[in-house]
Amino acid sequence: MTGVTEYAGYLPGLSADDVEWRTLEFERGNRRLEVAVPVLSVDQLDELAARVREASRAYLKTLTVSRIIEIIDTAVARLLDRDDPYRRKAEELLPLVTGYDREMVRLGLTEYLKTFRRAELAKFVAEDFANPAMLDDFQPVPKGGFAKAIGPDLLIHIWAGNVPGLPLWSLISGLLVKAGAIGKVPSAEPLFAGWFAALLAEIDPRLADCLAVVWWQGGDEARESAVLQQADLVLAYGGNDSLASIRARTPITTRCLAYGHKISFGLVSRDALDTGKAWGVAHRAAYDVIRYDQQGCYSPHAFFVERGGKVSPREFSKYVANELACFERKFPRRTLSIEEAGGVAAWRHDEEMKASSASGRDIMGDAAGTWSTVYTEEVEDLAPSGLNRTIKIIGVDDLSDTIPHIAPYKAYLQTVGVAASPETLFRLSEKLAAAGVTRICALGNMTAPEAGWHHDGRFNLLDLVTLTEIEQSAERAADAFARYAD
Amino acid sequence: MGVTEAQIIDRLLAFIADEGASDDAFNAMALELFAYQFENNQPYRRFCQQRERTVRTVRDWRDIPAVPISAFKELTLSCCAPEDAARVFMTSGTTRDGVRGKSFHPTLDVYDASMIANFRQRVMPDRERIRMGILFPGEDVMPNSSLAHYLALALREFGTDDSHYLVDEDGLDTMRVVVELAHAEQTGEPYALLGASYSFVQLMDALKGMDEVGFLPPGSRIMDTGGFKGQSRDMALDDFYRQLSSTFGVERRHCINMYGMTELSTQFYDSGNEVCPSVKSGPHWIRTRVVNPLTNEELPRGEKGVLAHCDLAHFNVVSTILTEDAGVATEDGFLLLGRADGAAAQGCSMAVEEFLKAAGG
């Protein structure tokens, strides 16, 4: 399939001939894909912003939330249908673009898309709005008076990363609050968001101008600034350096919600380490490691494992190693760039050096370097792994001993996968919450947050809106001016 | 009992001087040096044994275990007693955990011989001496910097008496540079500007505000080294050399980049930067392989990998190192293609480098 070109982006009001295209090349083994990404001029970006803003005011804002949910549900149903052309394209091209195993992408897409069906979307809205009708009309509020939640006319998304479909979170969040949006796709996965926008426009043609999906080289000052100047609200994802520059280019009167890179980990209590259960726990722990090769903010970098169970932490690390080896046969790791392979090698070299100068440390891995585990007897601070199926297993006497070793990184903590009894779960959760952890889930579920989760502990929808309140005084004063007033 | 330090030094100095040394001679020298390091450098010996390599099993220089540069931070790699080292060069400590990697030198005779012979051939093939300006602090200020020593040596061996350092305690002495440039333009005497890449960026930024800056006369040259990371704004290489050339009036083919490391005693050069990235190569006593960092297998020419160097001049430490630099082998050298340390994560998960920076480590 050499020579195939797929066009990325979604550009209402612009024909392909009006736009300059740049080619991104993706090569996996003997398969090659060219993705043409649009490079709009600053003028074109300005016009696009004006068009989206206008359509957002004129049409999107007139839809009810339930109608928007219906439209998204229809789109998601099509993406869940394996015979749908968009779904077929996603299954065909996303493994090529991201390098992830086909089967992992297929399963991952289904699992992920399922969290955006009608019922889940309704829950999603209800999570943030006790009375979702306030997105449609002024509604009475408990303190008295009325309030309506207003979404931005133009929401700018700046996405990052190569986890397939990730932009859907913020794109759908924006739609649910009736925000017109321009999304900037990352070079690492430039396709999915554009397809979704085109699909929505197919389902409801009047939505066609309410969304746009563009691309520019990360850090392109002129284009980024031009778009940010137009924004009512900015949602940005990425590393701290790029977020800092995005924030600096956003006008002070515009809110910029920045989602930075995060670090996650797992806790395995002695309750979960009896001989019958430990294999299953190790299997689930390894699953969290192999899913998207630890590229997600929710992916684990370390497992703290408690001593005192039937299976020791050291034995548990061997179980995990074994599971990683099995997964490598079922869902092989994607081919790494040399930069990524260098990252894995650097991490392994560091660990080898530590192991050669200290006792109580083991390193396991296969000859091709597709996975590695490090076991350490002595508790140490949480730190990033080398990514791409490299994991550290740290033995601890008591799981609460881990708290001082995660607390220094409060601003960067996100998910903790836990295998423990109910008592231990709740006892630990108190401490984890205080340390800054925002999501606690079962091991094996770390990479699949449930519908309506609060990303990094924030309110996905509530953070996007402003409230307009009619105070009681206005209501009372209005009475005096009624036609029927005495 | 193997060879002594004095014997290995003599053998190496002779090898460096032997311009016609064959591949076999390189191999023989590399194996002899490996045997010396295996015998005298205990941490390296253990490192080799962990990889099941000994003097008996290593029959080709390509099989000499390459030490990852991160090991220079963890291990004391030295054949002589570290306290007997005449000089210790240290990495800048700007990456990872701030721990500095060390290279111990019982004498700088071999380092200096390597540097001088190579510099003469690659930077000064056409003349004995040249008036120099050095954009880097002196050895007295940075006694543990191999680059400071390298530049001091360049000045001593190849600079005229009126060569200068253009950096003082307060940093870059821009006025001094302007005076030097004007003098060169007036007299027509060729001039060499040498220093850290980031100092050139800072200098060009400082000169932007000034209207009249002298152009360097024909025969002048520029040599930069080390990249920009963290020290100045980042620049695309092509832009960097375009701006260097237009600021100082030195053609890009006379703008040479030196690629060196604290963990080596020999440098690589290109033959100017008309095209970026340029092909880098070294003298006959250093060899480079492009390998898969996870398996250490050599990659076919043209395939991107990580650079591993075997430098016979680095006799007291280890000859063979695995870098964190990405590159591609070419017919007459290699292209240097940036870092391969996993600093740029693809997803939204944190990478080591970013975490350390964010956590203030």
Side-chain angles (χ1 to χ4, degrees):
Chain A
M1 64 172 294
T2 315
V4 175
T5 300
E6 176 71 20
Y7 284 80
Y10 173 75
L11 309 169
L14 284 165
S15 81
D17 298 339
D18 299 336
V19 176
E20 188 192 325
W21 296 87
R22 187 175 305 173
T23 306
L24 305 178
E25 288 181 11
F26 298 92
E27 213 173 328
R28 305 287 164 190
N30 52 0
R31 288 159 60 86
R32 220 167 135 255
L33 173 71
E34 293 190 341
V35 175
V37 287
V39 188
L40 273 60
S41 68
V42 166
D43 286 346
Q44 285 173 323
L45 286 168
D46 282 345
E47 280 167 37
L48 199 63
R51 174 181 288 263
V52 170
R53 176 188 297 282
E54 180 49 36
S56 156
R57 281 181 188 151
Y59 182 63
L60 192 50
K61 292 280 191 295
T62 69
L63 297 177
T64 61
V65 176
S66 53
R67 171 66 189 143
I68 293 172
I69 288 180
E70 209 176 290
I71 296 168
I72 297 171
D73 182 55
T74 311
V76 168
R78 283 191 55 184
L79 287 170
L80 280 166
D81 172 7
R82 293 200 62 200
D83 292 324
D84 186 86
Y86 280 104
R87 172 65 186 223
R88 286 214 299 267
K89 195 144 78 164
E91 286 190 19
E92 176 73 20
L93 301 185
L94 291 181
L96 211 52
V97 166
T98 61
Y100 295 117
D101 176 73
R102 296 179 71 83
E103 194 57 9
M104 181 156 56
V105 169
R106 187 181 74 76
L107 293 173
L109 272 181
T110 299
E111 201 176 328
Y112 181 57
L113 287 163
K114 270 161 54 183
T115 65
F116 296 111
R117 288 171 305 178
R118 185 192 300 243
E120 280 68 28
L121 293 171
K123 285 184 227 161
F124 196 4
V125 175
E127 270 302 316
D128 279 17
F129 295 96
N131 177 3
M134 74 189 299
L135 285 160
D136 295 332
D137 296 300
F138 279 99
Q139 294 288 314
V141 286
K143 71 174 174 60
F146 287 77
K148 184 179 180 184
I150 314 287
D153 289 332
L154 181 60
L155 168 61
I156 304 299
H157 304 271
I158 297 182
W159 295 306
N162 69 346
V163 176
L166 212 58
L168 223 52
W169 263 112
S170 69
L171 196 61
I172 287 178
S173 300
L175 281 170
L176 290 173
V177 300
K178 309 180 189 182
I182 295 180
K184 183 252 171 201
V185 288
S187 303
E189 200 282 86
L191 290 172
F192 196 83
W195 295 334
F196 193 73
L199 182 52
L200 288 172
E202 253 179 67
I203 291 162
D204 180 357
R206 295 182 68 189
L207 275 180
D209 286 356
C210 297
L211 292 173
V213 176
V214 300
W215 179 91
W216 59 77
Q217 185 72 56
D220 181 329
E221 190 177 346
R223 290 182 172 84
E224 201 167 271
S225 297
V227 171
L228 292 172
Q229 288 301 319
Q230 304 280 344
D232 295 320
L233 180 68
V234 178
L235 265 177
Y237 299 81
N240 283 346
D241 289 347
S242 44
L243 291 178
S245 83
I246 289 166
R247 183 166 272 169
R249 288 168 191 168
T250 304
I252 187 71
T253 47
T254 304
R255 275 192 308 140
C256 177
L257 307 179
Y259 288 93
H261 292 169
K262 295 285 172 180
I263 183 166
S264 298
F265 60 95
L267 297 177
V268 179
S269 122
R270 63 175 74 95
D271 321 333
L273 291 174
D274 75 33
T275 30
K277 291 177 186 145
W279 272 114
V281 176
H283 180 78
R284 288 191 289 279
Y287 181 69
D288 285 335
V289 173
I290 63 119
R291 273 271 293 213
Y292 303 126
D293 300 339
Q294 289 167 297
Q295 298 296 310
C297 43
Y298 38 47
S299 299
H301 291 258
F303 295 114
F304 293 92
V305 182
E306 200 172 40
R307 278 185 269 272
K310 292 249 169 53
V311 173
S312 72
R314 174 173 256 132
E315 282 169 298
F316 183 77
S317 77
K318 289 176 182 156
Y319 289 10
V320 172
N322 187 69
E323 292 298 317
L324 289 173
C326 294
F327 274 124
E328 176 58 24
R329 289 193 287 278
K330 197 170 171 202
F331 300 115
R333 188 183 66 190
R334 80 208 148 91
T335 312
L336 301 186
S337 72
I338 210 69
E339 287 77 10
E340 291 174 302
V344 172
W347 181 81
R348 271 219 318 216
H349 294 148
D350 274 349
E351 293 300 335
E352 279 166 11
M353 287 307 139
K354 285 181 200 153
S356 70
S357 55
S359 61
R361 301 180 77 98
D362 298 336
I363 301 176
M364 279 177 280
D366 68 341
T370 52
W371 60 270
S372 320
T373 61
V374 166
Y375 171 70
T376 158
E377 190 89 23
E378 198 134 322
V379 62
E380 59 183 46
D381 270 14
L382 179 66
S385 71
L387 302 177
N388 299 304
R389 308 194 183 187
T390 58
I391 188 80
K392 186 174 280 184
I393 289 140
I394 302 167
V396 290
D397 290 335
D398 190 297
L399 281 181
S400 43
D401 296 348
T402 56
I403 300 298
H405 297 278
I406 60 164
Y409 313 110
K410 185 168 189 172
Y412 302 97
L413 303 177
Q414 194 205 61
T415 295
V416 177
V418 180
S421 67
E423 302 77 46
T424 313
L425 170 66
F426 283 95
R427 180 175 54 83
L428 280 174
S429 295
E430 288 291 340
K431 293 178 177 164
L432 292 171
V437 169
T438 57
R439 176 173 169 250
I440 296 162
C441 67
L443 273 188
N445 283 65
M446 291 183 73
T447 63
E450 66 190 7
W453 78 307
H454 293 95
H455 185 187
D456 292 347
R458 292 302 312 166
F459 293 87
N460 299 298
L461 303 182
L462 218 44
D463 269 353
L464 305 184
V465 300
T466 52
L467 288 189
T468 299
E469 296 180 312
I470 303 173
E471 294 200 348
Q472 298 169 72
S473 67
E475 225 184 312
R476 277 197 303 269
D479 268 345
F481 308 117
R483 236 177 311 153
Y484 49 78
D486 292 332
Chain B
M1 186 70 197
V3 291
T4 63
E5 181 182 286
Q7 285 169 324
I8 204 87
I9 290 172
D10 281 349
R11 300 269 295 111
L12 285 168
L13 290 174
F15 189 81
I16 287 170
D18 179 10
E19 282 179 32
S22 67
D23 285 355
D24 286 347
F26 178 87
N27 199 46
M29 187 70 240
L31 294 180
E32 187 180 342
L33 182 58
F34 174 62
Y36 174 77
Q37 293 175 339
F38 189 86
E39 181 179 328
N40 295 296
N41 184 340
Q42 292 313 312
Y44 182 53
R45 184 192 190 103
R46 276 198 301 280
F47 176 87
C48 294
Q49 284 165 340
Q50 278 168 5
R51 278 152 192 76
E52 293 167 357
R53 304 277 177 87
T54 65
V55 176
R56 269 191 204 86
T57 60
V58 172
R59 306 310 310 160
D60 187 290
W61 67 270
R62 293 173 190 84
D63 298 328
I64 298 172
V67 177
I69 54 166
S70 58
F72 283 69
K73 295 171 184 173
E74 296 283 337
L75 305 177
T76 302
L77 295 165
S78 182
C79 292
C80 72
E83 58 275 16
D84 292 344
R87 280 292 273 281
V88 183
F89 290 145
M90 298 190 199
T91 55
S92 57
T94 51
T95 52
R96 291 193 186 275
D97 36 17
V99 181
R100 303 173 70 181
K102 295 187 182 73
S103 275
F104 299 90
H105 296 267
T107 162
L108 286 174
D109 288 354
V110 182
Y111 184 101
D112 291 359
S114 166
M115 183 278 171
I116 291 165
N118 196 18
F119 191 89
R120 176 171 293 127
Q121 201 187 353
R122 302 303 294 268
V123 184
M124 298 286 286
D126 53 334
R127 51 194 302 139
E128 284 292 304
R129 286 185 180 271
I130 191 166
R131 182 161 167 149
M132 280 182 187
I134 308 284
L135 295 171
F136 201 75
E139 263 187 301
D140 50 337
V141 183
M142 301 181 78
N144 296 119
S145 161
S146 57
L147 180 58
H149 175 68
Y150 168 95
L151 290 167
L153 205 54
L155 190 136
R156 191 185 82 200
E157 295 292 323
F158 299 97
T160 58
D161 289 344
D162 37 18
S163 296
H164 294 291
Y165 276 90
L166 301 172
V167 169
D168 58 23
E169 307 81 60
D170 306 324
L172 196 63
D173 188 350
T174 313
M175 284 330 292
R176 186 67 189 260
V177 176
V178 172
V179 171
E180 284 290 288
L181 293 176
H183 177 267
E185 191 175 39
Q186 278 158 20
T187 59
E189 183 192 342
Y191 193 82
L193 265 179
L194 282 68
S197 312
Y198 60 80
S199 302
F200 280 100
V201 177
Q202 288 165 359
L203 176 59
M204 291 191 289
D205 286 350
L207 292 177
K208 254 181 207 156
M210 308 182 183
D211 25 53
E212 283 289 308
V213 179
F215 259 26
L216 292 175
S220 297
R221 61 211 65 188
I222 286 175
M223 195 213 71
D224 78 287
T225 186
F228 316 115
K229 207 180 171 190
Q231 302 277 353
S232 70
R233 65 198 169 85
D234 212 353
M235 279 186 87
L237 282 184
D238 210 42
D239 296 337
F240 176 69
Y241 289 106
R242 188 183 310 133
Q243 201 185 330
L244 262 190
S245 181
S246 64
T247 306
F248 300 105
V250 175
E251 288 176 63
R252 284 176 63 161
R253 64 195 169 99
H254 297 307
C255 296
I256 297 167
N257 177 262
M258 183 272 274
Y259 162 54
M261 304 175 75
T262 303
E263 296 88 349
L264 296 175
S265 290
T266 302
Q267 298 78 35
F268 299 92
Y269 300 94
D270 54 38
S271 306
N273 276 276
E274 278 175 299
V275 181
C276 296
S278 60
V279 176
K280 302 262 191 298
S281 58
H284 66 265
W285 59 92
I286 190 165
R287 298 272 168 110
T288 297
R289 301 193 311 141
V290 176
V291 302
N292 174 337
L294 289 172
T295 60
N296 273 320
E297 279 163 29
E298 190 162 353
L299 296 168
R301 187 178 291 171
E303 215 166 287
K304 191 169 166 184
V306 166
L307 302 177
H309 306 299
C310 175
D311 177 15
L312 304 186
H314 211 50
F315 74 94
N316 184 61
V317 184
V318 293
S319 64
T320 309
I321 61 166
L322 180 67
T323 70
E324 292 175 356
D325 297 321
V328 168
T330 66
E331 200 166 333
D332 40 11
F334 57 87
L335 303 178
L336 189 60
L337 300 173
R339 303 273 297 161
D341 54 4
Q346 288 237 324
C348 50
S349 182
M350 274 199 133
V352 179
E353 200 90 13
E354 183 183 14
F355 182 77
L356 289 170
K357 200 168 148 194

